[in-house]
Amino acid sequence: MTEQGQRPDLPARPAGGDAEDDAAVIRRSRNEPEHFAVLFRRYAPGVQRYVRRRIGAGAADDVVAETFLAAFHQRSRYDLECESARPWLYGIATNLMGRHRRSEVQQYRMLARTGQDPVTEPFTDRVDAAVSAEGQRGPLAAALARLPAAHRDTLLLVVWGDLSYHEAATALGIPVGTVRSRMNRARTSLRRSLATAGEPEPDGPHRDWSAVTRVKES
């Protein structure tokens, strides 16, 4: 990263542009490529957090860079009827993480064995000893590792990517009904795994892992 977080292999940051919606930014970038950097400034931190939660810090920088470079090269095909590019970017990132499935599952299994979370702890500043979800992180991680990849992608786009069901559907290129079905099956599987492990369903607020089984449709 260079000064102010700008990658040297992305277009230089333009002046202005923050008031435009994403579709307008992409439309303008087709003739003024440097304008695409507005989207990088707008969404890179969130994409970075999402990717890092899933595959760890080691590969996250590369995946994030590849996400925005892929988006830049695909901008001519972007549907300008979609004002927000967020689902599109998270979908690209999720697809790129496909080659890191093994690393992701290994991290969940390590957490299940040791109770040490190598993904969320490095950038989680909140410390709340009263959060009851702490004891369930291991069982939840083990259950996530056992989920089918498509169900895990859908669940974590909603939980950690903070996408709505409709946005997750856009990101994954599937009907919203499929998102609902995958979410229901994933939550049922996780709750069943917790019950089998003798753990109560987590109810602590504001915690990455406790949120996994408590997602409401949005």
Side-chain angles (χ1 to χ4, degrees):
M1 289 285 184
T2 59
E3 186 178 1
Q4 297 184 328
Q6 177 64 46
R7 290 190 58 91
D9 50 352
L10 285 169
R13 179 181 299 179
D18 288 333
E20 297 175 311
D21 64 39
D22 298 343
V25 170
I26 293 171
R27 181 188 296 110
R28 181 173 166 186
S29 77
R30 292 174 179 176
N31 295 319
E32 302 174 43
E34 69 278 2
H35 200 64
F36 194 83
V38 171
L39 290 190
F40 181 81
R41 184 167 72 249
R42 193 172 285 175
Y43 291 114
V47 174
Q48 174 82 15
R49 286 190 295 272
Y50 167 67
V51 174
R52 189 171 179 179
R53 279 184 173 113
R54 295 198 56 177
I55 62 174
D61 287 344
D62 288 342
V63 169
V64 173
E66 291 171 14
T67 295
F68 283 89
L69 287 172
F72 177 74
H73 291 303
Q74 296 171 24
R75 72 192 189 283
S76 64
R77 302 197 299 272
Y78 182 79
D79 182 1
L80 296 175
E81 294 297 317
C82 299
E83 293 183 358
S84 174
R86 192 164 175 267
W88 178 56
L89 293 169
Y90 276 73
I92 293 172
T94 299
N95 287 335
L96 289 172
M97 282 189 288
R99 63 178 181 266
H100 298 280
R101 299 272 186 219
R102 181 175 298 180
S103 297
E104 179 183 16
V105 170
Q106 286 174 344
Q107 289 186 126
Y108 296 147
R109 288 174 177 166
M110 185 174 78
L111 172 57
R113 289 194 309 270
T114 67
Q116 299 297 314
D117 185 351
V119 181
T120 60
E121 286 175 353
F123 61 84
T124 299
D125 296 327
R126 297 183 299 273
V127 177
D128 184 355
V131 173
S132 63
E134 193 70 23
Q136 290 86 11
R137 292 166 74 189
L140 273 172
L144 280 173
R146 290 192 294 267
L147 283 178
H151 291 184
R152 188 166 58 243
D153 283 345
T154 305
L155 177 73
L156 296 183
L157 275 170
V158 173
V159 176
W160 286 347
D162 200 28
L163 269 61
S164 70
Y165 279 32
H166 286 277
E167 288 173 333
T170 299
L172 296 170
I174 59 177
V176 69
T178 302
V179 171
R180 293 191 183 100
S181 175
R182 289 180 182 178
M183 289 293 295
N184 288 335
R185 292 180 181 180
R187 288 199 303 260
T188 297
S189 177
L190 294 180
R191 287 166 177 161
R192 185 181 298 118
S193 294
L194 286 177
T196 300
E199 299 284 351
E201 187 175 327
D203 58 4
H206 311 303
R207 190 70 178 186
D208 294 323
W209 289 98
S210 67
V212 169
T213 61
R214 297 186 296 103
V215 176
K216 296 181 180 179
E217 183 173 345
S218 54

